[in-house]
Amino acid sequence: MQLVIVESPAKAKTINKYLGSDYEVLASFGHVRDLPPRDGSVNPEADFAMAWEVSADRTKQLSAIREAAKRADSVILATDPDREGEAISWHLLEWLKDKRALPKGGARRVTFNEITKTAVTRAMQAPRDLDQPLIDAYLARRALDYLVGFTLSPVLWRKLPGAKSAGRVQSVALRLVVERERDIEAHVAREYWRVAAEMIAPNGATFMARLAVLDGKKLGQFDLDHAAANAAREAIANNGFSVRTVETKPVSRNPAPPFTTSTLQQEASRRLGFNASHTMRVAQGLYEDGRITYMRTDGVQIAAEAMHAVRDLIAQDYGSKPDVLPEKPRFYATKAKNAQEAHEAIRPTDFSRRPGRADSDAEKLYALIWNRTVASQMASARLERTTIDLYDDDGRHGLRATGQVVISPGFLVLYSEARDEKPADDEDDEARLPRLAGGDRCAAKDVQATQHFTEPPPRFSEATLVKRMEELGIGRPSTYASTLTTLRDRAYVRVEKNRFHAEEKGRLVTAFLERFFARYVEYDFTAGLETQLDDVSAGDASYLALLRAFWADFQPKTAEIMEQRPSDVTAALDEYLAPFLFPDSGDGSDPRLCPRCAAGRLSLKTGRFGAFVACSNYPECKYTRPFASEGGASDGPVDLGADPVTGELITLRSGRFGRFVQRGEGGADGEKPPRASIPKDVSITGPEDLDWAVKLLNLPRTIGPHPETGEPITASIGRYGPYLAHAGKYGRLTSTADVFEIGMNAAVVNLAEAAAAKAAGGRPQRGAATALAELGAHPESGVAIRVLSGRYGPYISDGTTNANVPKGTEPTAVTLDEAVALLAARAAAAPAKKGKKPAAKKAPAKKPAAKKPAAKKPAARKATADPA
């Protein structure tokens, strides 16, 4: 018997169908060992020796593999065909050797790019040894990420309060987002005007034309102001126009190549709204089901047999004419520098399995992959682009109309690549134009002069950020999803409407790294390191030499910064960030002058929870403002007015946990002033909202004594929202308004219902799980599976097993197939339930020996390295 080890249970189940009884297939559930998150896991003093540790949630599975290995004649390592797959096979082999569980027949490696019977059986007939250069490249990447994360992160903790971590790829990706935010803030909108006319052709058809020539001169974008645009509009409306030239050019558009990892992530983001992590999870499921080839690839070529299958399908479905099917197959060149990682493009394994109803994310993604692959072998689209120039009778004013007509659609009948952003001034109008000839007279039906402003560069979407990282050579396509997830988890960025916004923490970390570790966040340096790692995986360079060279520069730099006082670091950042924090107002005034006391000067400060701007006259002047806010520096606390009872000033402020209102400035002995957070359903922006601020600061509100107990009933707002309280019991309220409006009768009923629900075995209302989605019945047990919202976030449940919704995934976007897989993985990782032990017989009482209390080890502070 031969033991076959793969990564996932789904993959094991599929492969098991193709192999006979002479094989036993088990899953490792991914990586089985990792570098423990503590100092010393990579030791530069011992030539970068690495101390690996078995993952706690893999113990049970490794025990099963060990027992199966004892029964086996040999082991076949059939993990994924890339660097990570090779690394998992290496870890498994090293672990089996360490446990003396490797069979006499040893272990061999097999790879297949698709999980089909043909591919699997062919791979089993051609085993090989592990690819040591590919393993070396993995070791180098893992060591680099660890060394950067566990060396740089402590520097951040000590010199930049509130910062969480830095990473080799993570920090450079963050810099891209922050720099785009700076470009947006630095943009100064510039006004321009356009004049466009709806024209009537001799045959009565209408078309749009734009003013292109004024007083015999070609117009530039900013040549028209309001007055000139209106004058031109009047001139066009009162003149007749004749066609001077009609220029027609043939245009050809070629199909896009089949998907790579990064282009699949980009197109799924544009067309389907999937984030990168979700795209990879769905693609993983399609691969393990045998429907597509391996989804982590830089290659754009497809196998010869697949190419023939595509061409046969095109001929069958669309015909074999040259305007549909080219005479020769199309070949695409890969941009990957490392041929070992340049596998086939992502394509269907069986083209006769056409896309079905797109009622699940898996079907939507499969349709995208199928259409893109088939279209890549179809004929180019032939179009005709037409430009028509019209002039008035004296030749002073000229209009231009552009449009294009599809002559032969070619691949466009099946697929057209989406665009990220269409420029506002894009004149490539795809509207159809009427047939016109030189000398034809056209009249203006309607003429409009419209005002426009230049737009700042758009914020990155997942698609455009992944595309930019790929263009710069930062990271690898297989790690883009985890890198972007890390930025969100660290709260360095937030995503709104599928756009990345740089958060305050992210901007400060980027500024710190640019000021003190400029080389390590340079795009060229990071891309160059990737090239060196590719050289290692190709067998052209030593991974130890790469690590030695990197550490020789990096370690002294971190030691140098660690020796600096935090105050010196803050002063350096204050100077570095001055153009952003204190921009020149243009009127000659001091941008650092405190707006409250008009005497002190503003500067950057750091505190327990991060950075902020404060007045130099503290404590006499307690003016502060956040380090950053949407659109740049803010004006600090907003005065709402005086409290009607105490007379103290109430202000609106922003802090670590969001916006809040504050009464006064606190006592002379350092006592903190009263504060209240602003709920999401309440808007407080200025003095007109003083009443709301006073209400919030005076919470809790006493409704009155309970009619039965005489104990007071109060209403307030807590961590989980608005609530009622009475004698240690609680009831949930639905809105902030209820806190101030609910009466005694409604409060008593609310509390009674909450008590009854708890007595009936239900959870207290405060922590009740809310159903976010009903996914359907489990395919094996028939039990209903739901996505629930619990105290610690969204999770999936079948009533017996609970599994967290993966970070970065929209809870309502989880499919039934994904939920079943997550529940299976959670059940497999859970410890076995122990049966109840029989009661032990009582032994004669013995005098207990005195025990020394165990010395507690100080908890090591964790630093998370860049996942890329």
Side-chain angles (χ1 to χ4, degrees):
M1 186 269 289
Q2 296 189 77
L3 173 62
V4 180
I5 306 177
V6 297
E7 289 101 327
S8 73
K11 186 176 178 182
K13 185 177 180 180
T14 305
I15 292 174
N16 198 42
K17 295 187 299 185
Y18 303 142
L19 301 176
S21 58
D22 291 338
Y23 295 86
E24 182 177 358
V25 186
L26 292 179
S28 70
F29 287 89
H31 276 282
V32 296
R33 300 193 307 178
D34 199 2
L35 295 172
R38 58 172 178 262
D39 290 338
S41 294
V42 177
N43 186 0
E45 303 300 322
D47 211 11
F48 303 95
M50 302 183 201
W52 301 99
E53 187 177 86
V54 172
S55 304
D57 57 351
R58 297 291 181 268
T59 305
K60 181 180 177 181
Q61 199 60 24
L62 284 175
S63 296
I65 291 173
R66 184 179 181 180
E67 291 302 314
K70 291 179 181 178
R71 304 189 297 269
D73 299 319
S74 64
V75 173
I76 298 175
L77 302 167
T79 50
D80 288 343
D82 62 357
R83 186 188 71 241
E84 291 300 310
E86 206 74 16
I88 293 172
S89 287
W90 175 78
H91 278 298
L92 286 165
L93 180 58
E94 293 295 305
W95 182 83
L96 287 169
K97 289 178 179 177
D98 183 61
K99 297 298 180 182
R100 298 182 180 178
L102 191 65
K104 291 182 180 180
R108 298 281 278 169
R109 175 87 165 105
V110 302
T111 59
F112 32 82
N113 197 46
E114 58 188 73
I115 305 179
T116 60
K117 187 172 184 179
T118 301
V120 172
T121 53
R122 186 189 300 148
M124 291 298 172
Q125 296 167 3
R128 61 168 173 82
D129 293 330
L130 265 67
D131 189 325
Q132 192 59 47
L134 212 55
I135 295 167
D136 287 347
Y138 160 78
L139 295 174
R141 288 178 189 275
R142 196 67 192 87
L144 281 172
D145 293 339
Y146 175 92
L147 290 171
V148 172
F150 278 82
T151 306
L152 198 51
S153 293
V155 178
L156 283 173
W157 297 337
R158 297 178 189 179
K159 309 303 177 184
L160 204 65
K164 292 186 177 180
S165 71
R168 181 177 62 87
V169 176
Q170 162 198 325
S171 297
V172 184
L174 175 60
R175 183 186 174 192
L176 281 170
V177 178
V178 171
E179 285 190 339
R180 179 59 58 90
E181 200 76 30
R182 292 172 183 165
D183 291 341
I184 292 170
E185 292 169 354
H187 174 76
V188 178
R190 189 174 175 186
E191 180 189 38
Y192 64 96
W193 286 77
R194 280 182 173 168
V195 178
E198 184 180 7
M199 306 297 291
I200 304 175
N203 64 0
T206 60
F207 62 97
M208 294 302 298
R210 183 181 299 167
L211 180 65
V213 176
L214 179 64
D215 290 329
K217 294 182 180 179
K218 186 178 179 180
L219 278 177
Q221 183 179 5
F222 302 103
D223 287 350
L224 290 179
D225 58 17
H226 189 188
N230 279 331
R233 180 179 61 81
E234 292 292 334
I236 294 172
N238 296 325
N239 275 326
F241 284 79
S242 299
V243 175
R244 181 176 292 184
T245 60
V246 178
E247 184 180 4
T248 301
K249 290 182 179 179
V251 179
S252 179
R253 282 179 59 187
N254 297 322
F259 283 125
T260 63
T261 302
S262 64
T263 56
L264 178 64
Q265 291 173 358
Q266 293 168 44
E267 198 74 345
S269 174
R270 298 184 193 110
R271 286 181 175 272
L272 306 177
F274 293 176
N275 63 37
S277 298
H278 186 62
T279 297
M280 296 311 293
R281 277 194 298 274
V282 176
Q284 178 87 33
L286 290 171
Y287 167 67
E288 291 175 350
D289 287 343
R291 298 181 66 182
I292 64 170
T293 53
Y294 191 54
M295 67 288 160
R296 290 187 176 90
T297 174
D298 295 324
V300 291
Q301 69 279 1
I302 62 175
E305 59 268 25
M307 191 177 294
H308 294 315
V310 172
R311 289 176 60 82
D312 289 344
L313 181 140
I314 294 169
Q316 176 184 336
D317 286 7
Y318 300 99
S320 55
K321 293 181 179 179
D323 60 350
V324 175
L325 182 67
E327 291 184 8
K328 296 180 180 179
R330 290 184 180 275
F331 294 93
Y332 298 93
T334 180
K335 295 180 181 179
K337 297 178 183 179
N338 186 341
Q340 290 178 321
E341 294 194 58
H343 302 292
E344 260 196 280
I346 304 169
R347 63 165 176 84
T349 56
D350 181 2
F351 289 95
S352 65
R353 187 172 181 176
R354 293 168 172 79
R357 288 180 55 189
D359 53 1
S360 69
D361 288 353
E363 289 301 327
K364 291 174 184 176
L365 194 66
Y366 179 76
L368 200 64
I369 295 168
W370 193 94
N371 290 340
R372 171 93 163 213
T373 309
V374 174
S376 72
Q377 287 299 318
M378 296 180 76
S380 300
R382 291 190 298 112
L383 304 95
E384 189 176 77
R385 184 166 295 157
T386 303
T387 302
I388 301 173
D389 288 319
L390 307 96
Y391 282 83
D392 58 8
D393 294 337
D394 56 11
R396 292 178 58 228
H397 299 90
L399 302 175
R400 171 165 287 190
T402 59
Q404 63 183 27
V405 177
V406 176
I407 305 302
S408 173
F411 73 93
L412 291 177
V413 299
L414 188 60
Y415 185 87
S416 177
E417 192 172 23
R419 298 177 64 175
D420 293 312
E421 282 99 15
K422 187 173 181 178
D425 58 348
D426 190 352
E427 297 187 11
D428 183 18
D429 188 358
E430 298 183 1
R432 298 199 57 165
L433 296 175
R435 290 196 173 275
L436 293 170
D440 284 348
R441 296 285 293 178
C442 298
K445 179 181 179 183
D446 181 45
V447 187
Q448 297 289 333
T450 54
Q451 182 187 38
H452 300 269
F453 292 92
T454 55
E455 296 284 341
R459 288 185 173 88
F460 285 112
S461 63
E462 280 220 349
T464 54
L465 185 54
V466 165
K467 183 179 181 181
R468 186 62 180 144
M469 291 173 69
E470 185 180 34
E471 290 171 350
L472 293 171
I474 298 169
R476 302 295 294 170
S478 59
T479 64
Y480 291 155
S482 58
T483 298
L484 302 188
T485 299
T486 299
L487 294 181
R488 287 191 289 261
D489 292 345
R490 298 285 180 271
Y492 289 160
V493 302
R494 72 179 187 280
V495 179
E496 291 182 3
K497 297 180 180 178
N498 197 32
R499 297 286 171 171
F500 284 91
H501 295 247
E503 292 281 33
E504 180 177 309
K505 288 180 183 177
R507 299 179 71 134
L508 190 61
V509 167
T510 297
F512 176 84
L513 296 175
E514 288 175 331
R515 174 61 180 80
F516 295 104
F517 293 91
R519 183 186 182 202
Y520 302 101
V521 288
E522 287 178 355
Y523 304 132
D524 289 344
F525 174 81
T526 307
L529 204 55
E530 292 293 347
T531 300
Q532 294 178 57
L533 288 166
D534 285 344
D535 291 340
V536 171
S537 61
D540 298 331
S542 162
Y543 86 94
L544 288 175
L546 186 158
L547 292 175
R548 291 171 195 143
F550 175 84
W551 188 246
D553 288 333
F554 184 69
Q555 194 277 333
K557 184 65 177 176
T558 55
E560 173 193 336
I561 305 305
M562 188 66 88
E563 292 175 1
Q564 293 192 25
R565 294 182 301 176
S567 58
D568 294 337
V569 171
T570 303
L573 286 175
D574 178 79
E575 181 182 353
Y576 180 78
L577 290 167
F580 162 68
L581 293 175
F582 315 108
D584 188 350
S585 59
D587 59 4
S589 61
D590 183 0
R592 288 181 179 262
L593 188 67
C594 177
R596 175 161 293 183
C597 70
R601 300 190 78 243
L602 304 179
S603 61
L604 183 69
K605 303 290 183 183
T606 55
R608 180 182 176 188
F609 300 119
F612 59 96
V613 173
C615 178
S616 60
N617 279 345
Y618 180 86
E620 287 76 16
C621 177
K622 296 183 179 179
Y623 174 86
T624 61
R625 76 180 188 209
F627 161 73
S629 63
E630 190 76 22
S634 71
D635 294 326
V638 176
D639 294 345
L640 300 180
D643 187 286
V645 176
T646 67
E648 294 177 289
L649 179 65
I650 296 178
T651 53
L652 171 65
R653 300 168 181 249
S654 295
R656 182 190 180 202
F657 300 108
R659 298 166 71 247
F660 63 94
V661 289
Q662 175 176 309
R663 179 166 52 219
E665 294 292 346
D669 58 354
E671 182 183 355
K672 290 184 178 180
R675 294 173 177 173
S677 297
I678 300 174
K680 291 181 179 179
D681 58 348
V682 172
S683 175
I684 298 180
T685 58
E688 65 276 9
D689 303 311
L690 176 62
D691 289 346
W692 264 111
V694 172
K695 286 180 179 180
L696 293 172
L697 287 164
N698 288 335
L699 288 177
R701 168 191 168 227
T702 300
I703 299 172
H706 194 287
E708 295 178 3
T709 66
E711 296 287 330
I713 299 176
T714 60
S716 192
I717 302 171
R719 180 181 179 187
Y720 302 104
Y723 68 94
L724 293 171
H726 165 253
K729 297 179 180 178
Y730 302 91
R732 174 183 287 180
L733 296 175
T734 57
S735 69
T736 302
D738 287 347
V739 175
F740 303 104
E741 296 172 2
I742 191 169
M744 177 59 71
N745 292 339
V748 170
V749 171
N750 182 301
L751 289 165
E753 290 177 347
K758 187 174 182 180
R763 294 184 179 182
Q765 285 188 349
R766 184 178 67 180
T770 303
L772 300 177
E774 301 284 347
L775 302 183
H778 193 290
E780 295 178 3
S781 67
V783 175
I785 297 178
R786 300 187 298 167
V787 181
L788 302 172
S789 176
R791 179 178 179 183
Y792 301 106
Y795 65 96
I796 300 160
S797 178
D798 61 0
T800 303
T801 303
N802 296 338
N804 291 332
V805 173
K807 288 184 177 179
T809 301
E810 179 65 34
T812 55
V814 177
T815 65
L816 179 61
D817 292 342
E818 291 173 348
V820 170
L822 288 167
L823 289 169
R826 181 69 185 90
K833 293 183 179 178
K834 296 181 180 179
K836 189 175 182 181
K837 292 183 179 180
K841 292 182 179 179
K842 288 187 177 180
K846 290 184 179 180
K847 188 176 182 179
K851 290 185 179 179
K852 285 187 178 181
K856 290 186 178 180
K857 293 183 180 180
R861 190 171 186 182
K862 291 186 179 180
T864 304
D866 184 354

